Amino acid sequence: MDLAYRLGRRLVTAVTALSLLAASALPAPAPAAERAPAVAPAAAAQNRVTLEQAIQIAKKAYPDVGRFGEFNSDYSEYEGRGVWQLRWSDEGEPGGSCQMSIRAATGEIIGLDIWYGSPSGRYSGLPAFTKAQAQAIAEQVARQLLPEKFAQCKLVPSGPFEEPIIFVLKDRTYPVVYTFTFARTVKGIPVGGNEIRVGINAETGKMQHFSVNWEDNLDVPDPSGRIAADRAAAIFTEQGLELAYAYYGPRDRDTGVRPKLVYQLKDGNFILDALTGEVQDPREGPYYFDVGGPGGGGGGEPVYSRAKQEPLSEAEQAAVEKLGRLLTAEQAQAKAEKACPLPDGMQLTSKNLVANWEVPGAKVWNFSYGNKEKKRTIEIRVDAATGELLGFSTYENLDPEEYLKKPEVKVGEDQARRIAEAFIKKQQPERAGQVVFRRSDKEIGPWAERGDDSPRAYRLEYARLVNGVVYPANGFSVTVNFTTGEVTDYSMRWWDTSFPAPAGVIDRARAAALYLEKHPLLLEYVRAFERRPDGPDRPRYFLVYHPTGWPMGVLDAKTGQELDSEGKPVPGRMADFTDIAGHPAARDIQLLADQGIVAAGDGRFRPNDRITGGELLAWLVAAADRDGYRPLAKEDDKQLIERARALGIIAAGEDIRAASPVTRLEAALDRKSVV
């Protein structure tokens, strides 16, 4: 009994023989002439397909809809383009539904989602179809439904975080679905936002969902004058990354984890105009670029700093206050009102104690005030242990006429910056010298609809600088009213902790090279929308270079290793094994490899070698712990055994001969017999 057979028996339920028949997975739709009959409905002249014809198109393309007993439909038009929305459903057992969208002008199916209801049993082990087999079916589906459009597309590789997680040691009540994206191309260059997406049920080999986004009358710039890829890479090396501190650890308590040095995208993304060679600002400028990245091209501030702060209950507040480390509500309120004097007539309306997500383990007292006329509200935040002012916000509830009125700008951006910096220095004279100006965001009001971009206020951001390295999660934010020069919003984020010295970090050029290995620059036509509210609805397309992959990662500044959202190294994707072709278990081995359950550093699996107890246990742990598993080094056998015990793979008190080969009998018997 060789290793591959034992693996199949040990980790998965035996899978029946494959029957990859793409044509049977989706019957061929009717020819184009049948899908666009000459008989015109009552809709616009160009929307020639009637409801009856749309139903026939749907049933020819996907006969499975005939299994559902209920049917209803809707029709909608936008800018003269009509769409039929067809819905089938079944309320009985096992239930299920199908929704299909069909263009009334051409009879094209532009959207489909089908649910076959709850299965009587459960799915177990590995799915019947591999990703490669599902891809072949997806391509056949797209080619059959949209032959002309699919001919203009190419497959977009999925990232490591876009793959479905398969729990091979647990039964599933849901099917594994592989989703494939085929991007539209012009002269070989992909066009952002124009794509065909197909989801294939890996348990049955049938289509689960289908959609198409495709802009008619596409207008893209001529790519012939673009800068070369090596020049784009050189610009990325110069401007794309910044050395920064980042924190990866629990937010609700201080466990001793400290910020670490990383290289990250300077502005949360990198968008280079391929025709001008200019780097586009993802936060400002006349256009918003529809390019993937953290926060849609945001400024690198960690997600946790914007997390919702859930107030503690009265019982939880009382328990925390009893620790003696925090101020009582009354003490904190006194400090808040001293740090931020209130105008006459303001009364306390609410108070709560919440976690400070910028400082691990810290708490914040929030106090809200309002006046009788409900014209103004003020919120003040102080540190719950020291009473130090962390921030305040003022809100004016303007009448509609006042709100719509264009403000008289009396304070320029430079003056606003001086006001902000003077305010920071007054509040925090020592820390004011430890920050660097980061950016400013203009607040525009409804008068922009009339083409006037006069600002109401500016929000100015300052990031903390430690050892000459920026720490974006710490610093100050100040909003200055451009009419009055008043500071209407102030926030301080500051953590008194230790920071590693920047000695030993790799240089920027090396970091850029390593980053581009993981996220190479993609030449793409991307959609850009005007930021003005009165801008045209149709997007404008730019030819740009930008890093591929999602999410945009960061690199450990000392090792160059890419880090995930928890600050842990991202395992490299294994290449296809070179020694499993023709083996009876090759399909199962590859599926397990795709899931990161089995791996080999040199690209060989060695299917006929004897497996050790440690290797088998590591695979079982990886298969059982799909959310939290990280590959362990060979010397971590003790930690591996502890994790296996926690997962119930081996019993307490039992041990495993990690370095010894596992016999056929041990591999074939119950999992506890390998100890």
Side-chain angles (χ1 to χ4, degrees):
M1 181 184 295
D2 63 18
L3 173 58
Y5 178 76
R6 295 198 304 274
L7 176 65
R9 284 292 185 184
R10 192 64 190 84
L11 292 181
V12 302
T13 302
V15 181
T16 58
L18 302 179
S19 57
L20 178 57
L21 300 173
S24 64
L26 180 73
E34 292 183 49
R35 289 188 281 121
V39 180
Q46 69 268 30
N47 297 322
R48 305 184 303 274
V49 178
T50 66
L51 173 59
E52 180 180 356
Q53 292 161 347
I55 295 172
Q56 292 301 323
I57 290 168
K59 296 180 75 171
K60 284 184 178 180
Y62 216 70
D64 278 8
V65 299
R67 61 165 289 186
F68 302 114
E70 303 294 328
F71 173 78
N72 59 70
S73 66
D74 291 315
Y75 176 83
S76 62
E77 264 188 43
Y78 179 72
E79 294 185 348
R81 295 189 293 270
V83 174
W84 286 108
Q85 301 286 351
L86 312 180
R87 292 181 293 276
W88 291 264
S89 62
D90 194 342
E91 299 298 331
E93 293 294 335
S97 63
C98 177
Q99 300 185 44
M100 197 175 298
S101 302
I102 296 178
R103 291 190 65 175
T106 64
E108 290 179 330
I109 297 175
I110 59 176
L112 183 151
D113 277 285
I114 189 163
W115 175 57
Y116 289 96
S118 301
S120 56
R122 293 171 178 262
Y123 304 106
S124 62
L126 294 174
F129 291 79
T130 66
K131 182 179 179 182
Q133 293 165 341
Q135 179 183 326
I137 299 172
E139 292 173 352
Q140 179 71 2
V141 166
R143 187 178 294 109
Q144 288 177 346
L145 291 181
L146 300 171
E148 294 182 2
K149 288 182 170 61
F150 182 70
Q152 303 173 47
C153 293
K154 66 179 181 180
L155 179 69
V156 177
S158 58
F161 298 95
E162 298 171 318
E163 298 288 350
I165 295 177
I166 304 175
F167 293 83
V168 297
L169 295 184
K170 299 178 181 178
D171 287 349
R172 302 184 299 277
T173 57
Y174 56 89
V176 171
V177 176
Y178 287 111
T179 299
F180 302 92
T181 301
F182 303 96
R184 180 183 187 178
T185 63
V186 173
K187 296 183 178 179
I189 301 172
V191 181
N194 287 242
E195 62 191 20
I196 300 171
R197 289 174 63 86
V198 186
I200 300 298
N201 185 320
E203 317 286 354
T204 65
K206 293 185 176 182
M207 177 169 61
Q208 190 89 14
H209 56 256
F210 174 89
S211 64
V212 58
N213 288 316
W214 204 273
E215 184 173 346
D216 297 328
N217 304 315
L218 182 68
D219 182 17
V220 296
D222 184 351
S224 59
R226 66 182 183 271
I227 63 175
D230 57 353
R231 176 56 185 154
I235 296 174
F236 178 84
T237 300
E238 296 168 3
Q239 305 181 44
L241 297 178
E242 68 176 352
L243 181 64
Y245 286 106
Y247 173 71
Y248 302 95
R251 311 305 306 177
D252 58 343
R253 60 194 183 283
D254 189 352
T255 59
V257 178
R258 297 294 176 255
K260 66 192 308 178
L261 285 155
V262 303
Y263 277 103
Q264 64 182 19
L265 291 175
K266 189 173 183 180
D267 289 307
N269 212 323
F270 176 80
I271 305 171
L272 176 66
D273 191 311
L275 298 179
T276 67
E278 297 178 356
V279 177
Q280 299 290 332
D281 189 335
R283 295 178 61 95
E284 297 184 356
Y287 291 98
Y288 166 78
F289 288 86
D290 186 12
V291 177
E301 183 180 351
V303 173
Y304 58 72
S305 67
R306 299 186 294 272
K308 181 180 179 181
Q309 295 185 342
E310 295 291 344
L312 303 181
S313 67
E314 291 186 9
E316 291 167 338
Q317 290 185 27
V320 172
E321 291 179 41
K322 283 183 179 179
L323 294 177
R325 296 184 298 105
L326 304 184
L327 301 174
T328 65
E330 291 74 18
Q331 292 170 331
Q333 182 180 345
K335 289 185 176 291
E337 294 176 3
K338 181 178 180 181
C340 186
L342 299 169
D344 293 339
M346 301 300 291
Q347 298 177 343
L348 182 69
T349 57
S350 68
K351 59 187 175 183
N352 57 58
L353 182 65
V354 298
N356 182 351
W357 291 98
E358 279 88 23
V359 179
K363 298 289 190 295
V364 176
W365 274 112
N366 287 333
F367 299 96
S368 297
Y369 301 84
N371 56 17
K372 291 182 179 180
E373 296 78 16
K374 297 183 179 180
K375 286 286 189 179
R376 169 179 276 197
T377 58
I378 299 176
E379 294 184 356
I380 308 175
R381 305 175 296 281
V382 297
D383 186 282
T386 66
E388 184 177 38
L389 178 67
L390 298 180
F392 68 84
S393 303
T394 62
Y395 304 93
E396 298 289 342
N397 299 322
L398 301 176
D399 295 331
E401 186 175 333
E402 294 178 84
Y403 177 75
L404 294 172
K405 183 179 179 182
K406 174 187 170 182
E408 183 180 355
V409 177
K410 299 180 179 179
V411 177
E413 183 178 355
D414 291 342
Q415 186 179 355
R417 183 169 166 180
R418 290 193 295 270
I419 292 171
E421 292 170 3
F423 188 87
I424 293 171
K425 189 172 184 179
K426 178 181 178 181
Q427 297 295 326
Q428 295 287 338
E430 182 177 347
R431 292 171 178 169
Q434 301 175 38
V435 296
V436 61
F437 178 68
R438 189 75 168 172
R439 64 178 62 87
S440 60
D441 293 327
K442 184 186 295 187
E443 180 186 326
I444 302 297
W447 48 90
E449 297 180 4
R450 301 187 292 272
D452 190 336
D453 62 353
S454 299
R456 187 198 303 274
Y458 256 96
R459 182 179 179 86
L460 302 113
E461 296 280 349
Y462 297 82
R464 184 177 181 181
L465 208 61
V466 183
N467 300 323
V469 178
V470 69
Y471 183 28
N474 272 199
F476 299 92
S477 300
V478 182
T479 300
V480 178
N481 184 293
F482 265 33
T483 298
T484 65
E486 176 188 8
V487 173
T488 59
D489 187 281
Y490 164 77
S491 175
M492 180 183 72
R493 309 171 302 279
W494 209 272
W495 182 20
D496 291 324
T497 186
S498 59
F499 294 83
V505 301
I506 60 178
D507 61 39
R508 192 182 308 275
R510 176 59 178 158
L514 291 171
Y515 194 96
L516 292 179
E517 286 181 9
K518 299 285 187 180
H519 303 279
L521 294 179
L522 171 68
L523 180 65
E524 182 182 25
Y525 290 110
V526 300
R527 299 181 300 181
F529 298 88
E530 288 199 28
R531 294 184 185 275
R532 294 187 299 112
D534 63 338
D537 292 334
R538 282 178 60 89
R540 175 181 173 184
Y541 283 86
F542 287 78
L543 183 63
V544 307
Y545 286 99
H546 67 88
T548 57
W550 175 268
M552 297 298 184
V554 299
L555 303 182
D556 186 304
K558 295 192 175 183
T559 67
Q561 173 70 50
E562 186 170 20
L563 305 176
D564 64 15
S565 59
E566 297 178 355
K568 298 177 181 178
V570 175
R573 185 192 180 279
M574 278 296 302
D576 292 342
F577 290 117
T578 60
D579 59 351
I580 63 173
H583 195 281
R587 188 186 68 84
D588 289 346
I589 294 171
Q590 191 57 54
L591 272 169
L592 292 169
D594 290 341
Q595 287 292 307
I597 294 173
V598 300
D602 60 359
R604 293 185 296 163
F605 185 72
R606 299 179 178 85
N608 297 313
D609 288 0
R610 295 184 67 185
I611 186 174
T612 66
E615 289 172 331
L616 179 58
L617 189 60
W619 294 349
L620 290 169
V621 168
D625 189 10
R626 303 301 288 121
D627 290 325
Y629 180 73
R630 293 293 187 281
L632 298 173
K634 192 171 183 179
E635 61 269 16
D636 290 323
D637 287 336
K638 182 178 179 181
Q639 187 177 352
L640 175 63
I641 292 171
E642 291 176 353
R643 189 177 300 180
R645 288 195 182 111
L647 292 168
I649 294 173
I650 58 177
E654 293 181 309
D655 205 349
I656 187 168
R657 299 188 301 275
S660 301
V662 177
T663 67
R664 294 182 181 181
L665 180 61
E666 289 172 332
L669 294 177
D670 182 76
R671 63 190 174 197
K672 294 182 181 178
S673 66
V674 300
V675 300

